Amino acid sequence: RFNGDSGANYYGDQMTTSAATVSGQESVGGTSARLSGITAATANAAYAGIVTVMIPNYAGTTFHKTTIARAARKDANSSGNLRSANVGGHWRNTAAIVAIRIYPSSGNFAIGSQATLYGLSQ
């Protein structure tokens, strides 16, 4: 969530690939931004996922905020369990983003999970 906003102000579109399967998902008027799926805390040991998120013009106050995310994860050692995703998102607000809260949709992050924030504003 951006700036503590829990209103229905988030929109997103996700395309996920796994083996020879491509699937899409759209979210309209959600209460948080979906950045993608990562490996759950219940996954096998040493399985990890990664998500890279860009929020161009996060400090601007003229336009609504748009996000771009890319993700990859491995769920198991069998076909169809290596996944990648491209996610586009939109926060219906012109406020500069000054706070970001990251949390799983359910359960917990695995011990050792990390989040790193880099800021660049033009």
Side-chain angles (χ1 to χ4, degrees), residues 7 10 13 18 30 32 37-39 45-47 49 51 53 56 59 69 86 96 115-116:
Y10 301 89
D13 184 65
S18 176
S32 62
I38 61 171
T39 307
Y47 286 17
V51 178
V53 181
N86 289 301
T116 304

PDB file of all heavy atoms in Angstrom, residues 7 10 13 18 30 32 37-39 45-47 49 51 53 56 59 69 86 96 115-116:
ATOM      1  N   GLY A   7      -8.015   2.373   0.497  1.00  0.00           N
ATOM      2  CA  GLY A   7      -9.231   2.519  -0.298  1.00  0.00           C
ATOM      3  C   GLY A   7      -9.139   1.714  -1.580  1.00  0.00           C
ATOM      4  O   GLY A   7      -8.095   1.165  -1.931  1.00  0.00           O
ATOM      5  N   TYR A  10      -6.541   0.923  -6.345  1.00  0.00           N
ATOM      6  CA  TYR A  10      -5.446   0.219  -7.004  1.00  0.00           C
ATOM      7  C   TYR A  10      -5.974  -0.629  -8.157  1.00  0.00           C
ATOM      8  O   TYR A  10      -6.990  -1.301  -8.029  1.00  0.00           O
ATOM      9  CB  TYR A  10      -4.719  -0.681  -6.009  1.00  0.00           C
ATOM     10  CG  TYR A  10      -4.132   0.066  -4.830  1.00  0.00           C
ATOM     11  CD1 TYR A  10      -4.877   0.287  -3.673  1.00  0.00           C
ATOM     12  CD2 TYR A  10      -2.833   0.553  -4.876  1.00  0.00           C
ATOM     13  CE1 TYR A  10      -4.342   0.971  -2.594  1.00  0.00           C
ATOM     14  CE2 TYR A  10      -2.285   1.235  -3.798  1.00  0.00           C
ATOM     15  CZ  TYR A  10      -3.039   1.436  -2.657  1.00  0.00           C
ATOM     16  OH  TYR A  10      -2.513   2.117  -1.592  1.00  0.00           O
ATOM     17  N   ASP A  13      -2.719  -5.376 -13.786  1.00  0.00           N
ATOM     18  CA  ASP A  13      -2.830  -6.377 -14.841  1.00  0.00           C
ATOM     19  C   ASP A  13      -1.583  -7.243 -14.763  1.00  0.00           C
ATOM     20  O   ASP A  13      -0.474  -6.717 -14.691  1.00  0.00           O
ATOM     21  CB  ASP A  13      -2.934  -5.702 -16.206  1.00  0.00           C
ATOM     22  CG  ASP A  13      -3.159  -6.708 -17.307  1.00  0.00           C
ATOM     23  OD1 ASP A  13      -4.216  -7.353 -17.294  1.00  0.00           O
ATOM     24  OD2 ASP A  13      -2.266  -6.855 -18.159  1.00  0.00           O
ATOM     25  N   SER A  18       4.333 -20.173 -17.210  1.00  0.00           N
ATOM     26  CA  SER A  18       4.836 -21.351 -16.525  1.00  0.00           C
ATOM     27  C   SER A  18       4.797 -22.491 -17.528  1.00  0.00           C
ATOM     28  O   SER A  18       3.724 -22.813 -18.054  1.00  0.00           O
ATOM     29  CB  SER A  18       3.970 -21.686 -15.317  1.00  0.00           C
ATOM     30  OG  SER A  18       4.414 -22.884 -14.725  1.00  0.00           O
ATOM     31  N   GLY A  30      -8.884  -2.465  -6.365  1.00  0.00           N
ATOM     32  CA  GLY A  30      -8.393  -3.227  -5.220  1.00  0.00           C
ATOM     33  C   GLY A  30      -7.976  -2.310  -4.080  1.00  0.00           C
ATOM     34  O   GLY A  30      -7.806  -1.100  -4.254  1.00  0.00           O
ATOM     35  N   SER A  32      -5.130  -2.722  -2.393  1.00  0.00           N
ATOM     36  CA  SER A  32      -3.667  -2.683  -2.355  1.00  0.00           C
ATOM     37  C   SER A  32      -3.154  -3.035  -3.739  1.00  0.00           C
ATOM     38  O   SER A  32      -3.871  -3.626  -4.546  1.00  0.00           O
ATOM     39  CB  SER A  32      -3.111  -3.655  -1.313  1.00  0.00           C
ATOM     40  OG  SER A  32      -3.460  -4.983  -1.635  1.00  0.00           O
ATOM     41  N   GLY A  37       3.568 -12.516  -7.504  1.00  0.00           N
ATOM     42  CA  GLY A  37       3.644 -13.590  -6.531  1.00  0.00           C
ATOM     43  C   GLY A  37       5.096 -13.966  -6.274  1.00  0.00           C
ATOM     44  O   GLY A  37       5.900 -13.993  -7.192  1.00  0.00           O
ATOM     45  N   ILE A  38       5.436 -14.228  -5.032  1.00  0.00           N
ATOM     46  CA  ILE A  38       6.764 -14.723  -4.694  1.00  0.00           C
ATOM     47  C   ILE A  38       6.611 -16.049  -3.967  1.00  0.00           C
ATOM     48  O   ILE A  38       5.521 -16.408  -3.527  1.00  0.00           O
ATOM     49  CB  ILE A  38       7.579 -13.718  -3.841  1.00  0.00           C
ATOM     50  CG1 ILE A  38       6.884 -13.433  -2.516  1.00  0.00           C
ATOM     51  CG2 ILE A  38       7.842 -12.445  -4.614  1.00  0.00           C
ATOM     52  CD1 ILE A  38       7.732 -12.637  -1.548  1.00  0.00           C
ATOM     53  N   THR A  39       7.693 -16.758  -3.823  1.00  0.00           N
ATOM     54  CA  THR A  39       7.678 -18.051  -3.159  1.00  0.00           C
ATOM     55  C   THR A  39       7.200 -17.890  -1.719  1.00  0.00           C
ATOM     56  O   THR A  39       7.664 -17.010  -1.002  1.00  0.00           O
ATOM     57  CB  THR A  39       9.090 -18.668  -3.188  1.00  0.00           C
ATOM     58  OG1 THR A  39       9.542 -18.661  -4.544  1.00  0.00           O
ATOM     59  CG2 THR A  39       9.083 -20.080  -2.671  1.00  0.00           C
ATOM     60  N   ALA A  45      12.887 -25.758   1.245  1.00  0.00           N
ATOM     61  CA  ALA A  45      14.079 -25.016   1.652  1.00  0.00           C
ATOM     62  C   ALA A  45      14.900 -24.620   0.427  1.00  0.00           C
ATOM     63  O   ALA A  45      14.981 -25.363  -0.544  1.00  0.00           O
ATOM     64  CB  ALA A  45      14.919 -25.869   2.593  1.00  0.00           C
ATOM     65  N   ALA A  46      15.484 -23.452   0.466  1.00  0.00           N
ATOM     66  CA  ALA A  46      16.367 -22.906  -0.563  1.00  0.00           C
ATOM     67  C   ALA A  46      15.633 -22.440  -1.821  1.00  0.00           C
ATOM     68  O   ALA A  46      16.269 -22.071  -2.791  1.00  0.00           O
ATOM     69  CB  ALA A  46      17.493 -23.877  -0.923  1.00  0.00           C
ATOM     70  N   TYR A  47      14.300 -22.471  -1.826  1.00  0.00           N
ATOM     71  CA  TYR A  47      13.561 -21.928  -2.963  1.00  0.00           C
ATOM     72  C   TYR A  47      13.272 -20.465  -2.662  1.00  0.00           C
ATOM     73  O   TYR A  47      12.770 -20.131  -1.592  1.00  0.00           O
ATOM     74  CB  TYR A  47      12.235 -22.664  -3.167  1.00  0.00           C
ATOM     75  CG  TYR A  47      12.352 -24.046  -3.756  1.00  0.00           C
ATOM     76  CD1 TYR A  47      13.568 -24.723  -3.757  1.00  0.00           C
ATOM     77  CD2 TYR A  47      11.258 -24.674  -4.297  1.00  0.00           C
ATOM     78  CE1 TYR A  47      13.670 -25.996  -4.290  1.00  0.00           C
ATOM     79  CE2 TYR A  47      11.356 -25.946  -4.837  1.00  0.00           C
ATOM     80  CZ  TYR A  47      12.559 -26.600  -4.837  1.00  0.00           C
ATOM     81  OH  TYR A  47      12.664 -27.855  -5.363  1.00  0.00           O
ATOM     82  N   GLY A  49      12.144 -16.470  -4.476  1.00  0.00           N
ATOM     83  CA  GLY A  49      11.617 -15.714  -5.600  1.00  0.00           C
ATOM     84  C   GLY A  49      12.173 -14.310  -5.559  1.00  0.00           C
ATOM     85  O   GLY A  49      12.735 -13.877  -4.550  1.00  0.00           O
ATOM     86  N   VAL A  51      11.320 -10.163  -6.987  1.00  0.00           N
ATOM     87  CA  VAL A  51      10.432  -9.196  -7.647  1.00  0.00           C
ATOM     88  C   VAL A  51      11.187  -7.877  -7.742  1.00  0.00           C
ATOM     89  O   VAL A  51      11.757  -7.418  -6.751  1.00  0.00           O
ATOM     90  CB  VAL A  51       9.121  -8.977  -6.846  1.00  0.00           C
ATOM     91  CG1 VAL A  51       8.247  -7.940  -7.542  1.00  0.00           C
ATOM     92  CG2 VAL A  51       8.365 -10.267  -6.666  1.00  0.00           C
ATOM     93  N   VAL A  53      10.444  -3.951  -8.751  1.00  0.00           N
ATOM     94  CA  VAL A  53       9.340  -3.026  -8.980  1.00  0.00           C
ATOM     95  C   VAL A  53       9.890  -1.642  -9.278  1.00  0.00           C
ATOM     96  O   VAL A  53      10.790  -1.171  -8.585  1.00  0.00           O
ATOM     97  CB  VAL A  53       8.420  -2.935  -7.735  1.00  0.00           C
ATOM     98  CG1 VAL A  53       7.261  -1.978  -7.983  1.00  0.00           C
ATOM     99  CG2 VAL A  53       7.915  -4.304  -7.343  1.00  0.00           C
ATOM    100  N   PRO A  56       8.017   4.882 -11.516  1.00  0.00           N
ATOM    101  CA  PRO A  56       8.516   6.131 -12.087  1.00  0.00           C
ATOM    102  C   PRO A  56       7.753   7.334 -11.544  1.00  0.00           C
ATOM    103  O   PRO A  56       6.546   7.258 -11.305  1.00  0.00           O
ATOM    104  CB  PRO A  56       8.258   5.962 -13.588  1.00  0.00           C
ATOM    105  CG  PRO A  56       8.119   4.491 -13.797  1.00  0.00           C
ATOM    106  CD  PRO A  56       7.519   3.969 -12.521  1.00  0.00           C
ATOM    107  N   ALA A  59       7.715  10.704  -6.750  1.00  0.00           N
ATOM    108  CA  ALA A  59       7.678  11.944  -5.962  1.00  0.00           C
ATOM    109  C   ALA A  59       6.862  13.044  -6.632  1.00  0.00           C
ATOM    110  O   ALA A  59       6.631  14.091  -6.034  1.00  0.00           O
ATOM    111  CB  ALA A  59       9.098  12.445  -5.702  1.00  0.00           C
ATOM    112  N   ALA A  69       6.301  -4.213 -12.610  1.00  0.00           N
ATOM    113  CA  ALA A  69       6.993  -5.238 -11.825  1.00  0.00           C
ATOM    114  C   ALA A  69       7.319  -6.443 -12.702  1.00  0.00           C
ATOM    115  O   ALA A  69       6.540  -6.806 -13.586  1.00  0.00           O
ATOM    116  CB  ALA A  69       6.134  -5.681 -10.638  1.00  0.00           C
ATOM    117  N   ASN A  86       4.951 -10.550 -15.441  1.00  0.00           N
ATOM    118  CA  ASN A  86       5.047  -9.129 -15.733  1.00  0.00           C
ATOM    119  C   ASN A  86       3.764  -8.487 -15.220  1.00  0.00           C
ATOM    120  O   ASN A  86       2.664  -8.958 -15.526  1.00  0.00           O
ATOM    121  CB  ASN A  86       5.171  -8.876 -17.235  1.00  0.00           C
ATOM    122  CG  ASN A  86       6.511  -9.309 -17.766  1.00  0.00           C
ATOM    123  OD1 ASN A  86       7.535  -8.823 -17.317  1.00  0.00           O
ATOM    124  ND2 ASN A  86       6.505 -10.232 -18.702  1.00  0.00           N
ATOM    125  N   ALA A  96       2.609  12.478  -3.808  1.00  0.00           N
ATOM    126  CA  ALA A  96       3.939  11.877  -3.823  1.00  0.00           C
ATOM    127  C   ALA A  96       3.926  10.660  -2.899  1.00  0.00           C
ATOM    128  O   ALA A  96       3.320  10.700  -1.825  1.00  0.00           O
ATOM    129  CB  ALA A  96       4.975  12.888  -3.347  1.00  0.00           C
ATOM    130  N   ALA A 115      13.859  -6.922   1.552  1.00  0.00           N
ATOM    131  CA  ALA A 115      13.311  -5.892   0.669  1.00  0.00           C
ATOM    132  C   ALA A 115      14.314  -4.745   0.681  1.00  0.00           C
ATOM    133  O   ALA A 115      14.805  -4.339   1.739  1.00  0.00           O
ATOM    134  CB  ALA A 115      11.955  -5.414   1.166  1.00  0.00           C
ATOM    135  N   THR A 116      14.659  -4.251  -0.481  1.00  0.00           N
ATOM    136  CA  THR A 116      15.599  -3.148  -0.611  1.00  0.00           C
ATOM    137  C   THR A 116      14.912  -2.054  -1.418  1.00  0.00           C
ATOM    138  O   THR A 116      14.313  -2.331  -2.450  1.00  0.00           O
ATOM    139  CB  THR A 116      16.879  -3.600  -1.349  1.00  0.00           C
ATOM    140  OG1 THR A 116      17.430  -4.718  -0.647  1.00  0.00           O
ATOM    141  CG2 THR A 116      17.901  -2.481  -1.406  1.00  0.00           C
TER     142      THR A 116
END
